[in-house]
Amino acid sequence: MPVTNLMKDIVINILDEVLKKEQVKQLNGNGRDDIIAYVLNRVQPKYVTSERGLLYGILDAKYKVQQRVDILFLIYEAIYQIMNRRDSTNAMKEPINPEKNSYLPHIVGQVLDVGSLSVVPDVEVTLLHGGKPAEMVDPDWENPYKTIEATKGHFHFWPQYAEGSMGSLSHVPFTLIFKHDRCSAEKIDLNLEVVRHADFGKSQFIPIVLMKSNEGA
């Protein structure tokens, strides 16, 4: 088979999920191609030359959560720019969805052991809003999420902005809960700023969360 950039298929698959989820109908073929080109120009290519390499590459990329996050951010950024750019008549195109033009920042943090500063795997991290697990922008992101060695104890969430309950708020309260069978539970209260201009790169970084092992554990 010819040399293939595996990232193209991955970007197209994620883009199709986003367009279906957001019910974007204003894009023509050129607009969709513009988004694909925008993202591919900003992610590292991954070339394969065989069917086996293609299969392994797809499986490998599927489980690289951070890679999916990066692509998802770029897709939303591209959609926002392309759907709102001025056309030849100098008229501004309509946003993706006028009723859904606000977003929340994504949350990034890390959990370590207080004594050794080593990774604590299998910590259950839950992002709560209104006492319930918050809905994510991408339903494939787990909430609650369990930390693992491979990602050095990092966790991340991108909560979905809910027009009905958050429409009049400039900051939305959330709570992070950390639980582990052998550690004392921890809790962090957050106030996430509502982003009105689709700044998809905006992050809220949580200071390192240190968990203390229970006595005798």
Side-chain angles (χ1 to χ4, degrees):
M1 66 179 286
V3 175
T4 302
N5 182 6
L6 176 64
M7 297 309 300
K8 181 178 179 181
D9 289 336
I10 293 173
V11 168
I12 290 173
N13 288 336
I14 298 176
L15 173 60
D16 288 342
E17 292 176 15
V18 170
L19 295 180
K20 183 178 179 180
K21 182 180 188 303
E22 300 290 350
Q23 298 181 347
V24 178
K25 299 177 181 178
Q26 302 97 317
L27 278 178
N28 57 26
N30 290 337
R32 185 172 179 275
D33 289 343
D34 287 346
I35 293 173
I36 294 169
Y38 181 96
V39 177
L40 288 176
N41 282 330
R42 289 162 176 79
V43 296
Q44 184 174 359
K46 186 171 184 178
Y47 296 107
V48 294
T49 58
S50 69
E51 287 81 358
R52 178 173 292 180
L54 182 63
L55 175 60
Y56 287 165
I58 290 173
L59 293 174
D60 180 54
K62 182 177 180 181
Y63 294 103
K64 285 188 175 178
V65 178
Q66 187 57 53
Q67 183 180 73
R68 181 182 174 88
V69 172
D70 293 341
I71 292 173
L72 195 61
F73 290 156
L74 288 170
I75 285 174
Y76 273 100
E77 185 177 80
I79 290 175
Y80 179 77
Q81 291 193 19
I82 291 169
M83 296 294 290
N84 288 280
R85 66 190 176 188
R86 294 184 181 276
D87 59 18
S88 58
T89 63
N90 207 34
M92 187 66 78
K93 293 184 178 181
E94 290 297 317
I96 302 170
N97 183 343
E99 298 180 356
K100 190 179 179 184
N101 57 1
S102 298
Y103 295 84
L104 294 165
H106 40 101
I107 303 165
V108 181
Q110 185 181 28
V111 184
L112 299 176
D113 177 79
V114 69
S116 63
L117 296 182
S118 59
V119 174
V120 185
D122 297 323
V123 175
E124 184 180 85
V125 187
T126 308
L127 180 66
L128 300 176
H129 174 62
K132 299 184 295 185
E135 182 181 354
M136 298 291 103
V137 166
D138 185 337
D140 286 342
W141 291 355
E142 298 175 3
N143 184 25
Y145 171 81
K146 283 197 173 182
T147 59
I148 58 176
E149 290 273 4
T151 58
K152 307 297 183 184
H154 283 90
F155 61 88
H156 72 272
F157 298 101
W158 191 6
Q160 175 71 57
Y161 176 81
E163 183 74 28
S165 60
M166 305 176 187
S168 61
L169 301 176
S170 62
H171 289 75
V172 181
F174 288 87
T175 301
L176 279 168
I177 303 292
F178 303 85
K179 294 182 179 180
H180 192 280
D181 292 342
R182 296 181 296 172
C183 299
S184 301
E186 298 289 342
K187 182 179 81 167
I188 296 177
D189 292 321
L190 304 171
N191 275 301
L192 299 184
E193 181 182 3
V194 178
V195 181
R196 302 294 183 184
H197 302 289
D199 184 1
F200 301 116
K202 190 176 182 66
S203 299
Q204 178 146 342
F205 293 95
I206 308 302
I208 292 176
V209 178
L210 299 176
M211 298 197 74
K212 183 179 180 180
S213 298
N214 294 327
E215 192 171 340

